[in-house]
């Protein structure tokens, strides 16, 4: 698999699309655009019977540019690189750094596609894709784009490490509605790979991501909490909210113990833990469930 590397030395697991899948997607797009162009041409012929030949020719050129050139540009811009053919084949046009394309990228690809695909019947695009190591045609080279596969099997997916127990539920009131999906993806990728990074690089990336996350939430990150632990705790909170929205509250969960309100000057006494039927205290029991799970984060000093 050919992997993309961003300017921040972050490896993106994207597979460049090869010529057969790209050719099939292009054929679907051309069939749809050709059908639309045929309908527009028939409509022009039926409605311009009283015009002279020069006006009819001008309308024909305008319809060609509008449907066969402007149409694909508008579709790729509005769909962020997913035309009908690419959606059917599971492909997408992205920038060289893996980000979504904009109008200027679609404009360059569409303008070069007139020569590569329409005027040369796809010969130039096929030759360029075969020569390129990542299957790029000339329009992709000038636009700085790449066609990648979206539907890629992922047999193994690294799990995000859980946060420290002393941070679970601490960010329950945090507003996460303004955090974009690409930032969540970057945080998840960092948490799953932080054990493979150098300590200095890992700390720098965690602090940068924590700053971006705090800016989006509008609440500064606690100074006493390490940046990596803060990211893990916020991701855990988001997963917990998603689970509650999908499955609702936990059924059969034990209610929280109600502590009576203390009077003036009287201390509040917490209820004692339930007695173990075996007669052994929970601390003396050898059950491994009493040992907190390893999280990879150390508590603050």
């Amino acid at each position: 698999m050919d992997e993309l590397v961003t300017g921040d030395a972050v490896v993106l697991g994207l597979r460049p699309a090869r010529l057969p899948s790209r050719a099939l997607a292009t054929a679907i797009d051309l069939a749809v655009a050709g059908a639309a162009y045929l309908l527009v041409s028939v409509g022009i012929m039926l409605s311009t019977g009283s015009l002279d030949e020069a006006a009819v020719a001008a309308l024909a050129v305008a319809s060609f540019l509008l449907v066969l050139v402007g149409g694909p540009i508008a579709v790729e811009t509005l769909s962020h690189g997913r035309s009908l053919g690419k959606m059917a084949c599971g492909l997408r046009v992205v920038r060289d750094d893996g980000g979504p394309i904009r109008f200027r990228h679609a404009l360059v690809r569409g303008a070069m596609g007139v020569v590569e695909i329409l005027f040369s019947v796809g010969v130039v695009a096929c030759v360029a894709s075969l020569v390129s190591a990542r299957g790029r045609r000339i329009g992709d080279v000038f636009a700085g784009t790449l066609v990648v596969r979206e539907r890629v099997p992922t047999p193994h997916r690294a799990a995000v490490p859980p946060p420290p127990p002393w941070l679970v539920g601490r960010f329950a009131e945090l507003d996460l509605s303004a955090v974009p999906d690409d930032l969540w993806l970057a945080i998840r990728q960092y948490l799953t790979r932080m054990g493979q990074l150098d300590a200095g690089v890992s700390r720098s990336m965690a602090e940068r991501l924590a700053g971006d996350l705090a800016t989006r939430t509008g609440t500064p990150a606690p100074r006493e909490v390490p940046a990596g632990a803060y990211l893990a705790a916020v991701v855990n909170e988001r997963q917990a909210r998603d689970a509650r929205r999908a499955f609702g509250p936990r059924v059969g969960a034990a209610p929280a113990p109600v502590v009576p309100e203390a009077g003036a000057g009287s201390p509040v006494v917490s209820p004692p833990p339930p007695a173990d039927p075996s007669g052994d205290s929970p601390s003396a029991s050898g059950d491994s469930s009493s040992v907190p799970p390893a999280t990879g984060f150390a508590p603050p000093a």
Side-chain angles (χ1 to χ4, degrees):
M1 180 180 68
D2 295 334
E3 294 178 326
L4 301 181
V5 182
T6 68
D8 296 331
V10 178
V11 179
L12 303 177
L14 301 179
R15 288 188 178 183
R18 296 304 179 185
L19 181 59
S21 58
R22 294 192 62 177
L24 179 59
T26 303
I28 296 174
D29 292 335
L30 288 178
V32 175
Y37 177 68
L38 181 61
L39 293 177
V40 172
S41 300
V42 172
I44 292 176
M45 291 178 59
L46 296 177
S47 60
T48 58
S50 60
L51 298 179
D52 55 5
E53 295 183 357
V56 173
L59 289 176
V61 173
S63 63
F64 173 83
L65 295 176
L66 180 64
V67 177
L68 295 182
V69 181
I73 294 175
V75 170
E76 285 194 354
T77 301
L78 297 177
S79 63
H80 299 290
R82 297 184 67 192
S83 62
L84 293 178
K86 292 180 177 62
M87 291 176 62
C89 298
L91 307 180
R92 180 191 287 270
V93 183
V94 297
R95 301 196 307 262
D96 282 339
D97 59 357
I101 65 172
R102 301 183 183 274
F103 171 73
R104 60 185 180 87
H105 303 96
L107 178 62
V108 175
R109 295 186 79 255
M112 295 300 300
V114 175
V115 179
E116 289 186 89
I117 300 175
L118 296 181
F119 289 171
S120 66
V121 200
V123 175
V124 176
C126 290
V127 173
S129 298
L130 290 174
V131 172
S132 174
R134 294 190 291 181
R136 305 168 73 188
R137 62 180 178 89
I138 299 177
D140 291 318
V141 175
F142 281 98
T145 58
L146 178 70
V147 180
V148 298
R149 296 173 56 188
E150 281 192 313
R151 295 195 289 264
V152 179
T154 54
H156 174 73
R157 186 179 181 183
V160 176
W166 46 275
L167 283 180
V168 175
R170 178 169 177 177
F171 303 101
E173 304 298 329
L174 206 61
D175 182 14
L176 304 179
S177 58
V179 182
D181 292 338
D182 55 351
L183 182 55
W184 286 122
L185 178 60
I187 294 174
R188 180 182 177 86
Q189 289 180 343
Y190 164 74
L191 292 175
T192 55
R193 302 177 184 178
M194 63 179 183
Q196 306 172 5
L197 302 175
D198 179 75
V201 174
S202 177
R203 182 171 58 255
S204 175
M205 292 182 63
E207 292 175 353
R208 186 183 64 181
L209 291 173
D212 294 341
L213 183 59
T215 301
R216 294 289 185 172
T217 58
T219 304
R223 295 183 178 273
E224 71 277 5
V225 178
Y230 167 74
L231 295 175
V234 176
V235 170
N236 179 264
E237 176 61 29
R238 187 204 181 196
Q239 293 175 346
R241 295 182 186 181
D242 293 341
R244 287 194 295 268
R245 281 193 295 265
F247 306 106
R250 290 186 304 169
V251 179
V258 179
V259 180
E261 184 178 357
S266 60
V268 177
V269 181
S270 301
D276 192 347
S278 62
D280 296 332
S281 62
S283 60
S285 174
D287 188 3
S288 59
S289 62
S290 62
V291 180
T295 62
F297 301 102

